[in-house]
Amino acid sequence: MATDDLRLRDASAVLDKAAAENFPVAPFFLPRAWRDDLMAVYGVVRLIDDIGDDDLAPEAGHARHLGLDPAEPADAPRLLDAVEADLGKLFDGGAPGHPLVRALRPTADRGAVTITPFLDLIAANRQDQHVTRYDTFDDLVAYCALSANPIGRLVLAITGTATPERLRLSDAVCTGLQIVEHLQDIAEDLRRGRIYLPTEDMSRFHVSEADLAAPTAGASVRALVAYETERARCLLNEGTPLVGSVHGRLKLLLAGFVAGGKAAAHAIAAAGYDVLPGPPKPTKPRLLREAGAVLRGEG
């Protein structure tokens, strides 16, 4: 297979994951230019996250695309360094090697986005390589500022709607969404050696790591998950006015994000806060009800 074909195959394998995301990456109702920008951004964001989670296909040539010697081990720290260097080339006007980074060229050249959100995401994934527990809720929120908030900031940048107040509201929404996702994925994260429940809260609710490894949640785990779910719900409510601050199709997109988080929180509650058998998923009717409430300004 030709080199260009291999590059496209490896890039497509990352982009194909968009269909499995909790929220549509680039919904059909958005203007074509926004959809193109969002998909280009998604490709780089997904690449960074897949490196951090060691989810890249082993036969793929990502290390080679990033200029690394294929004879040397391509571990997460080296790959993250290489992605950062490739993004540096892009934003400095150079020629990046990875096709997903190259695909970001039109968006970057228009000044629609800067390198900063991507560097924050890389920092979050570097942190995941050596930080597997968080002592306090504030520590977790600080991690979300790197791992989640850049996504909302990129959306506002692409749509040309970023203001200080919207960025603040977006950060609240994104942190709330990230915490809900962590709660849905407690069992999966534990298998990766990570716990995103604050250690001080686990102690307060008398929850041990062994409790989190059980097939179903006991009363103490359920109480802890309920407590953290309410924290996430409060953050989503805090950020909901973001939706009312914009208009048109962007309003629909942001309402979908907020509603998705609220519907996921409801699904956790509906499961009796037992997330250990698998992530509770919101129903479509519930998602539509939440979206309607957000659009009406009731959320």
Side-chain angles (χ1 to χ4, degrees), residues 92-116:
D92 288 341
H98 200 288
L100 291 171
V101 179
R102 288 206 310 272
L104 193 60
R105 167 73 71 194
T107 310
D109 283 352
R110 287 198 309 277
V113 297
T114 69
I115 194 173
T116 300

Side-chain angles (χ1 to χ4, degrees), residues 90-197:
L90 173 71
F91 283 95
D92 288 341
H98 200 288
L100 291 171
V101 179
R102 288 206 310 272
L104 193 60
R105 167 73 71 194
T107 310
D109 283 352
R110 287 198 309 277
V113 297
T114 69
I115 194 173
T116 300
F118 300 102
L119 296 182
D120 286 345
L121 292 166
I122 290 171
N125 279 275
R126 284 195 180 110
Q127 190 165 311
D128 277 335
Q129 306 311 305
H130 61 88
V131 178
T132 58
R133 307 291 187 275
Y134 292 86
D135 291 337
T136 68
F137 187 70
D138 285 345
D139 292 337
L140 183 62
V141 168
Y143 167 74
C144 292
L146 297 174
S147 66
N149 297 2
I151 305 302
R153 288 172 173 253
L154 284 164
V155 170
L156 293 178
I158 285 170
T159 57
T161 55
T163 66
E165 178 61 7
R166 285 180 181 142
L167 290 171
R168 184 187 72 80
L169 295 172
S170 173
D171 288 349
V173 170
C174 290
T175 294
L177 288 171
Q178 180 79 87
I179 291 171
V180 168
E181 184 176 330
H182 286 326
L183 293 171
Q184 290 176 306
D185 294 340
I186 287 174
E188 179 183 343
D189 288 333
L190 186 62
R191 287 192 290 271
R192 296 180 186 271
R194 302 171 187 161
I195 296 177
Y196 294 102
L197 294 164

Side-chain angles (χ1 to χ4, degrees), residues 199-225:
T199 302
E200 68 175 14
D201 293 344
M202 290 178 63
S203 298
R204 175 183 172 187
F205 284 87
H206 307 289
V207 171
S208 68
E209 294 191 12
D211 293 329
L212 300 180
T216 59
S220 58
V221 172
R222 290 172 187 250
L224 172 59
V225 172

Side-chain angles (χ1 to χ4, degrees), residues 39-61:
M39 282 305 299
V41 163
Y42 174 80
V44 176
V45 170
R46 185 73 266 165
L47 175 65
I48 293 168
D49 283 349
D50 283 354
I51 290 171
D53 289 337
D54 196 24
D55 277 344
L56 291 175
E59 72 277 6

